[in-house]
């Protein structure tokens, strides 16, 4: 082959003299301004991630702060688990975006340090590098052989950033629950309900013919979820009592029950109101109810000369004794006639059973107003809220209470009204309910011999016996609306005459239709911690992105891509302490060492931006 042909096959070499260096051009003020802010255009995704994280944090914070946000979206509040699920989704999305923002912030910090004239120590570079594993960062944080403080500082910050996001997710969900809330959607015009009113013993006479019907219906008044709410405290000072009280929370010596009444105390038109079928509840405002506080007797109490006693039921009945120790405080004792004595029909003639200890309690009565939510479907009391006002006494006189018992359990006579009511209801005016109470007391007393816990049921029976007349004998009683309808004229003008008792109760309780919504309740401490930590992390990210986007230092950052390894290979050199660029073979020695020695050797080299020497002299490129 000729010499000319050999020369033609060799790679073409450009003479050094043909390489020209292009100096920096003179820039106008407008161009310099555009160049100053130009790097911000290189990281649009980082800024988008940061802004989205801020918006999601605001959204999550607003939702978790029990604000009204989302309260109108039925999909959110329709079940007790939905609000928690929505919070979980919001916090998880916020966490993902925060992770992306933190990664972008570390990348900008990394390039800011690399673009310095002295570059960045190699160990610091791998601390900030996205590909470094958690184990590697932990080694640089707490491992031996790391001699520089900055390496340990950057690795510690990076390790905290890795742990921070899952910790925030656990923190916001650590103490979360939901509570039912009721939002009024329509206040019904001229719709007012009753509240509990003061006890009126004279009303018992009008209700006497339906005693069995009413007492059977209200026999479990204090445990009826449509009329009463158990307020018995779960904790408190221990009290000594001979006979315990059985409640849903166990046996105790104290029992507190709030009795506002049921939805049958509302205006009649509410029960047939078909407006707004999506409304779940009737919401009453400022409804007055009884507060019954029962206490076990500290020592065995029996009737004395200051007590008033009655025997009801004849040959199968009980003896009831009452005594006022204050106008709103009543001592009560009940003793049943023994079965053998009743079989021999000696309950009236043989009074020795009167001296039996029986069952005793102390009742304190008061009034308290509350906002109450009733289920529209079954009348159950769903929730109640007491205002700041305190209870007011509800005086009950033992003599007046006996007047009611005398009417209920011994109602006889030729009163035409009573006869009319008896024929209307078909119920017997005889004291059948008394026989039922007598049988229950004897049954429980017999079982209590082998199972003493059953004895508390007789105390509960005494509680119901004391409170049912108080519930019935006031002008807002359900029975009056039912009985009054019989006497009122019908649509044709036909009626049965006026009701003997003047019934003109005050309807002062505003009633409205409302929807049931479940609201989120996040513990205040964890909520504040989540907001502070997330906000602080995001603020630091904004600072890092701002510094890496504008200013003289940001201008030195190269145009990076979404691939950090590519950017490192294209834009960076690794130099030793003398400034010499290391080649592939220079890393062979690093591959043969481990542990402390490997970290020491990595600390001796730096990562610098490629072409740094040209930029120092004002030369930014070359052309052939």
């Amino acid at each position: 082959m000729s010499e000319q042909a050999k020369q033609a096959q060799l790679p073409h070499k450009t003479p050094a003299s043909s390489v020209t260096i292009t100096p920096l051009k003179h820039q106008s003020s407008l161009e310099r301004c555009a160049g100053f802010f130009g790097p911000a255009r290189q990281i649009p995704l980082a800024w988008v991630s940061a802004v989205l994280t801020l918006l999601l944090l605001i959204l999550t914070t607003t939702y978790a702060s029990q604000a009204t946000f989302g309260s109108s979206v039925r999909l959110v509040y329709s079940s007790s688990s939905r609000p928690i699920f929505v919070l979980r989704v919001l916090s998880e999305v916020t966490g993902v975006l925060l992770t992306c923002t933190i990664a972008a912030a570390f990348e900008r910090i990394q390039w800011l340090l690399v673009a310095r004239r002295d570059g960045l120590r190699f160990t610091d570079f791998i601390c900030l590098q996205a590909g470094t594993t958690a184990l590697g960062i932990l080694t640089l944080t707490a491992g031996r052989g790391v001699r520089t403080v900055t390496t340990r500082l950057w690795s510690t910050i990076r390790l905290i950033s890795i742990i921070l996001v899952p910790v925030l997710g656990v923190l916001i969900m650590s103490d979360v629950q939901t509570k039912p809330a009721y939002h009024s959607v329509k206040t019904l015009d001229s719709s007012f309900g009753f509240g509990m009113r003061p006890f009126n013993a004279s009303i018992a006479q009008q209700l006497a013919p339906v005693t069995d019907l009413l007492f059977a219906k209200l026999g479990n008044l204090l445990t009826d979820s449509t009329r009463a709410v158990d307020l018995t405290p779960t904790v408190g000072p221990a009290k000594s009592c001979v006979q315990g009280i059985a409640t849903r929370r166990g046996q105790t010596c104290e029992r507190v029950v709030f009795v506002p009444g049921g939805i049958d105390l509302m205006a009649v038109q509410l029960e047939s109101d078909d407006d707004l079928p999506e409304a779940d509840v009737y919401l009453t405002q400022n409804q007055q109810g009884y507060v019954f506080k029962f206490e076990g007797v500290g020592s065995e109490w029996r009737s004395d000369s200051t007590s008033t006693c009655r025997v009801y039921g004849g040959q199968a009945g009980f003896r009831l004794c009452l005594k006022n120790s204050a106008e709103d405080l009543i001592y009560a004792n009940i003793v049943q006639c023994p079965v053998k004595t009743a079989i021999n029909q000696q309950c009236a003639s043989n009074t020795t059973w009167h001296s039996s200890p029986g069952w005793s309690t102390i009742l304190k009565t008061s009034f308290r107003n509350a906002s109450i939510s009733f289920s529209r479907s079954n009348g159950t009391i769903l929730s109640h809220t007491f205002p700041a006002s305190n209870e007011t006494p509800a005086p009950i006189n033992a003599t007046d209470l006996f007047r009611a018992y005398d009417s209920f359990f011994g109602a006889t006579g030729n009163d035409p009204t009573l006869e009319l009511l008896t024929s209307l209801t078909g119920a017997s005016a005889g004291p059948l309910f008394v026989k039922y109470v007598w049988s229950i007391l004897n049954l429980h007393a017999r079982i209590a011999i082998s199972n003493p816990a059953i004895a508390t049921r007789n105390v509960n029976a005494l509680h119901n016996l004391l409170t049912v007349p108080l519930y019935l004998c006031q002008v807002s009683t359900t029975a009056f609306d039912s009985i009054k309808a019989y006497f009122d004229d019908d649509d044709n003008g036909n009626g049965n005459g006026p009701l003997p008792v003047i019934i003109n109760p005050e309807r002062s309780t505003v009633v409205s239709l409302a929807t049931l919504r479940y609201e989120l309740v996040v513990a205040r401490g964890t909520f504040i911690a989540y907001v502070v930590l997330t906000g602080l992390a995001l603020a630091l990210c904004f600072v890092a992105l701002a510094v890496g986007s504008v200013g003289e230092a940001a201008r030195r950052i190269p145009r990076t891509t979404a691939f950090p390894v590519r950017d490192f290979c294209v834009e960076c050199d690794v130099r030793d302490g003398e400034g010499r660029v290391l080649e592939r073979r220079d890393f062979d020695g690093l591959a043969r060492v481990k542990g402390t020695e490997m970290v020491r050797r990595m600390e001796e080299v730096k990562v610098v931006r490629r072409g740094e020497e040209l930029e120092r002299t004002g030369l930014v490129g070359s052309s052939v």
Side-chain angles (χ1 to χ4, degrees), residues 182-409:
Y182 307 94
H183 297 262
S184 177
V185 295
K186 179 182 179 182
T187 300
L188 303 177
D189 296 335
S190 303
S191 294
F192 295 92
F194 300 113
M196 293 287 102
R197 293 292 181 262
F199 174 65
N200 186 347
S202 62
I203 296 176
Q205 185 179 5
Q206 305 300 320
L207 299 177
V210 288
T211 295
D212 293 330
L213 179 64
L214 295 176
F215 274 76
K217 183 179 180 180
L218 301 174
N220 295 317
L221 173 63
L222 299 181
T223 56
D224 185 355
S225 60
T226 65
R227 293 181 172 87
V229 179
D230 188 359
L231 302 181
T232 304
T234 56
V235 295
K239 294 185 178 181
S240 174
C241 59
V242 176
Q243 299 165 345
I245 303 169
T247 67
R248 295 179 181 178
R249 296 171 178 152
Q251 186 170 333
T252 179
C253 289
E254 183 180 15
R255 183 185 191 186
V256 183
V257 183
F258 175 61
V259 181
I263 60 173
D264 43 11
L265 298 187
M266 299 179 186
V268 178
Q269 61 267 28
L270 277 182
E271 300 181 9
S272 59
D273 191 286
D274 295 327
D275 293 342
L276 300 173
E278 70 277 10
D280 306 292
V281 299
Y282 292 126
L283 185 64
T284 66
Q285 301 177 20
N286 203 37
Q287 180 169 337
Q288 182 171 269
Y290 270 114
V291 177
F292 297 127
K293 295 183 179 180
F294 299 95
E295 290 187 15
V297 180
S299 59
E300 189 173 334
W301 176 78
R302 302 189 187 187
S303 61
D304 52 29
S305 57
T306 63
S307 305
T308 302
C309 300
R310 295 280 197 281
V311 176
Y312 299 106
Q315 297 301 328
F318 56 84
R319 180 175 183 258
L320 180 64
C321 295
L322 303 175
K323 180 180 73 170
N324 277 109
S325 62
E327 63 176 9
D328 59 346
L329 200 65
I330 291 180
Y331 279 76
N333 174 264
I334 189 170
V335 180
Q336 77 280 6
C337 178
V339 176
K340 291 183 179 180
T341 305
I343 293 175
N344 296 328
Q345 297 186 355
Q346 297 178 349
C347 289
S349 58
N350 184 0
T351 60
T352 56
W353 59 275
H354 292 184
S355 60
S356 299
W359 321 94
S360 302
T361 192
I362 303 174
L363 170 62
K364 184 176 182 180
T365 56
S366 60
F367 286 123
R368 191 170 189 181
N369 291 356
S371 295
I372 306 167
S373 301
F374 296 91
S375 171
R376 198 177 181 187
S377 59
N378 57 19
T380 302
I381 297 177
L382 300 175
S383 70
H384 64 281
T385 304
F386 293 118
S389 59
N390 297 325
E391 302 174 18
T392 58
I396 304 295
N397 188 278
T399 303
D400 291 337
L401 192 54
F402 269 128
R403 286 177 54 203
Y405 285 130
D406 292 344
S407 298
F408 283 126
F409 300 149

Side-chain angles (χ1 to χ4, degrees), residues 35-72:
F36 184 80
F37 291 99
R41 299 194 303 271
Q42 301 176 24
I43 54 169
L45 293 180
W47 281 106
V48 169
S49 174
V51 172
L52 287 178
T53 305
L54 178 60
L55 295 178
L56 260 296
L57 177 60
I58 295 174
L59 194 62
T60 304
T61 303
T62 304
Y63 181 72
S65 63
Q66 303 180 29
T68 57
F69 170 76
S71 61
S72 60

Side-chain angles (χ1 to χ4, degrees), residues 373-585:
S373 301
F374 296 91
S375 171
R376 198 177 181 187
S377 59
N378 57 19
T380 302
I381 297 177
L382 300 175
S383 70
H384 64 281
T385 304
F386 293 118
S389 59
N390 297 325
E391 302 174 18
T392 58
I396 304 295
N397 188 278
T399 303
D400 291 337
L401 192 54
F402 269 128
R403 286 177 54 203
Y405 285 130
D406 292 344
S407 298
F408 283 126
F409 300 149
T412 57
N414 299 319
D415 191 324
T417 302
L418 298 182
E419 295 177 359
L420 182 58
L421 291 174
T422 301
S423 63
L424 168 65
T425 60
S428 170
L432 297 180
F433 182 76
V434 176
K435 302 296 189 293
Y436 171 76
V437 174
W438 169 81
S439 63
I440 287 297
L441 294 176
N442 276 290
L443 177 63
H444 290 164
R446 183 175 180 180
I447 299 176
I449 297 175
S450 58
N451 186 3
I454 298 296
T456 59
R457 297 186 181 181
N458 280 352
V459 179
N460 290 6
L462 177 58
H463 292 173
N464 282 294
L465 192 64
L466 290 172
T467 54
V468 169
L470 303 182
Y471 181 85
L472 290 174
C473 296
Q474 36 96 23
V475 293
S476 59
T477 306
T478 303
F480 281 108
D481 277 332
S482 302
I483 298 172
K484 183 176 182 292
Y486 178 80
F487 290 93
D488 285 344
D489 291 340
D490 57 21
D491 295 337
N492 298 322
N494 300 320
N496 297 286
L499 185 64
V501 177
I502 297 176
I503 301 178
N504 186 23
E506 179 186 0
R507 296 177 182 263
S508 59
T509 301
V510 178
V511 183
S512 60
L513 291 173
T515 56
L516 169 62
R517 300 178 181 180
Y518 291 93
E519 294 183 349
L520 195 67
V521 180
V522 182
R524 184 176 180 83
T526 57
F527 172 74
I528 293 176
Y530 173 81
V531 174
V532 171
L533 292 177
T534 308
L536 179 61
L538 187 58
L540 293 177
C541 290
F542 269 101
V543 172
L545 292 176
V547 173
S549 301
V550 297
E552 185 64 28
R555 295 182 59 191
R556 305 173 63 85
I557 298 177
R559 294 183 179 275
T560 58
T561 67
F563 306 99
V565 176
R566 178 264 178 199
D567 296 336
F568 172 74
C569 295
V570 173
E571 303 290 349
C572 298
D573 286 331
V574 180
R575 299 184 181 185
D576 59 15
E578 298 178 356
R580 183 177 63 88
V581 177
L582 300 183
E583 299 180 359
R584 170 67 182 82
R585 63 176 178 271

